[in-house]
Amino acid sequence: MERFYSWKRAMGALAAAIALMVSVAVAAPTSAHGAHTQTQASRLTACSSGRSDAYPPMNGYSGYMDLINIGSSSCGGGPANSDTYAANCSGRSFWTAQADTWLTQQPYSGGSRLSESGRSSLVSYPNDCKSYHVNNTYLWFPPSPLYSCAWWYVKESNWSKDYVCNSGAS
Amino acid sequence: MPFSQRLRALATGLMLASGIFAVSGCAQALNQAPQGPAAAISGAIGAELTAPEGFSIIVDKVERGSAQWLFHIRAHSSAANAIQVIGSGADHQFVLVEAKPAGTPANEGVVQLSAPTQADLATHPAFPAMLGAGASTEGWLRADLTSLKYPPQLLLYHYASVSATVCDNPSNQNTCHPTTLFSDLEWDLSA
């Protein structure tokens, strides 16, 4: 009987391992370093979230441009997410911006990035004060702590901002 | 080692391997801060701007009337194939954008350029839609200002369309819906 339960436990562990590998194999290609905007991971209920904002110089135009990164974790073993958005609420009809988005345990220059979107293309964002999704990355089985970070570039002012991070993905 | 223990060891190994893959699989070669592209995509009237498809555009003259503006445009291709510079859809088009206040809906205050009117064509030949491989071309395009409320601010050339999502509140996905944005060459008319 002892041998039977030992066999059952071992089979259970093996099944769990195979399920884990399959889910990682499915998640890895899309959470990896693609060059453009990615489809977001299917969202489970957010357990926590955090937000960071960057405000580029307006070169004399009124209003502001808000460059947003939102990090979020999921309940029930789901992925950690990092999403970037651009919102132009200025007197300039369009600003051209691009972003890179990543998840890391080391939120400083040179830190290892566990999952990264890759640079988005240069896109013109209209001054309608709405938030446009730029790109996303996510990571299954996230370690702790985990930081959600972004790099921003605004073409017209040749302005860039690196390592805008928050701890919302933890 | 009993078979059940061997199975457990195998399972533990698989879990460890998959965990390592999940954590480090994409970490290589991603630590360099990206740089902006080298080719100019924004400038003032007279600037030569370059589209990724392999052609450059100079808007070198603007005739500013009260009801219409006429733009003289020169283009040069360094591509190996002919390029459709003016398309039939929303991208590969020149658009004039007014100096609209913040909060104006994205599609307001934007007019697409078209060929000059019959009255102007004799003195302002139309900018052709096609550009041959390695060729140069020039011509005029017209912006009708009658629907604009504010002075023109930017001339854009849409060289690519981009599928996007727009949200009233980025923290609430229920406020988001799909939309289309553009990658542009951009001439600042106030510069």
Side-chain angles (χ1 to χ4, degrees):
Chain A
M1 186 62 82
E2 171 62 28
R3 186 182 174 85
F4 172 75
Y5 283 118
S6 181
W7 162 260
K8 271 188 76 173
R9 278 198 299 272
M11 288 304 290
L14 181 60
I18 290 170
L20 178 65
M21 288 198 72
V22 167
S23 61
V24 167
V26 167
T30 48
S31 66
H33 24 82
H36 297 292
T37 303
Q38 300 174 2
T39 305
Q40 296 178 31
S42 58
R43 298 302 178 85
L44 304 176
T45 307
C47 267
S48 68
S49 67
R51 169 172 169 157
S52 40
D53 298 79
Y55 298 94
M58 287 288 96
N59 290 10
Y61 288 96
S62 60
Y64 62 91
M65 188 165 185
D66 190 359
L67 304 171
I68 304 160
N69 177 268
I70 295 178
S72 59
S73 66
S74 302
C75 288
N81 285 278
S82 180
D83 292 273
T84 60
Y85 297 84
N88 175 4
C89 203
S90 77
R92 195 176 206 279
S93 303
F94 287 89
W95 287 101
T96 306
Q98 66 183 152
D100 186 19
T101 302
W102 65 92
L103 290 161
T104 183
Q105 289 195 284
Q106 300 166 327
Y108 45 79
S109 180
S112 178
R113 301 176 187 186
L114 305 182
S115 177
E116 186 171 20
S117 66
R119 257 192 295 177
S120 65
S121 55
L122 283 159
V123 171
S124 301
Y125 293 97
N127 64 342
D128 57 2
C129 302
K130 295 184 181 298
S131 298
Y132 288 84
H133 189 251
V134 179
N135 53 17
N136 155 268
T137 194
Y138 56 92
L139 182 68
W140 287 89
F141 312 108
S144 184
L146 188 62
Y147 298 90
S148 171
C149 301
W151 165 87
W152 289 104
Y153 177 72
V154 176
K155 178 66 183 175
E156 288 85 354
S157 54
N158 197 30
W159 173 91
S160 66
K161 181 88 172 173
D162 207 359
Y163 285 90
V164 181
C165 299
N166 64 77
S167 59
S170 288
Chain B
M1 180 185 291
F3 181 62
S4 59
Q5 281 185 17
R6 284 206 299 272
L7 269 177
R8 268 182 290 190
L10 173 63
T12 304
L14 287 171
M15 291 181 81
L16 279 173
S18 62
I20 289 166
F21 175 61
V23 167
S24 67
C26 298
Q28 66 223 19
L30 295 173
N31 295 319
Q32 297 169 347
Q35 302 297 314
I41 63 165
S42 61
I45 293 297
E48 179 176 4
L49 307 184
T50 304
E53 288 172 283
F55 63 97
S56 58
I57 297 174
I58 300 175
V59 179
D60 60 0
K61 191 173 183 183
V62 186
E63 292 186 4
R64 305 178 188 219
S66 57
Q68 68 171 15
W69 283 17
L70 291 165
F71 294 88
H72 184 253
I73 299 167
R74 293 191 283 134
H76 173 73
S77 169
S78 54
N81 300 311
I83 297 169
Q84 185 160 13
V85 179
I86 306 296
S88 54
D91 65 355
H92 291 85
Q93 298 288 351
F94 287 88
V95 297
L96 186 67
V97 187
E98 67 182 3
K100 52 186 179 177
T104 305
N107 60 349
E108 288 185 14
V110 179
V111 295
Q112 184 172 307
L113 272 60
S114 58
T117 61
Q118 284 294 329
D120 291 319
L121 272 177
T123 52
H124 298 79
F127 181 78
M130 295 297 297
L131 180 59
S136 296
T137 191
E138 63 182 298
W140 294 83
L141 289 176
R142 168 184 183 262
D144 181 349
L145 307 187
T146 54
S147 66
L148 300 185
K149 297 178 189 169
Y150 303 96
Q153 185 181 66
L154 301 171
L155 176 68
L156 305 178
Y157 175 72
H158 297 332
Y159 62 79
S161 60
V162 179
S163 296
T165 302
V166 59
C167 307
D168 292 327
N169 175 5
S171 297
N172 181 355
Q173 295 298 303
N174 293 329
T175 68
C176 304
H177 62 270
T179 189
T180 301
L181 295 173
F182 296 95
S183 294
D184 294 318
L185 304 181
E186 175 189 281
W187 292 267
D188 190 337
L189 299 170
S190 60

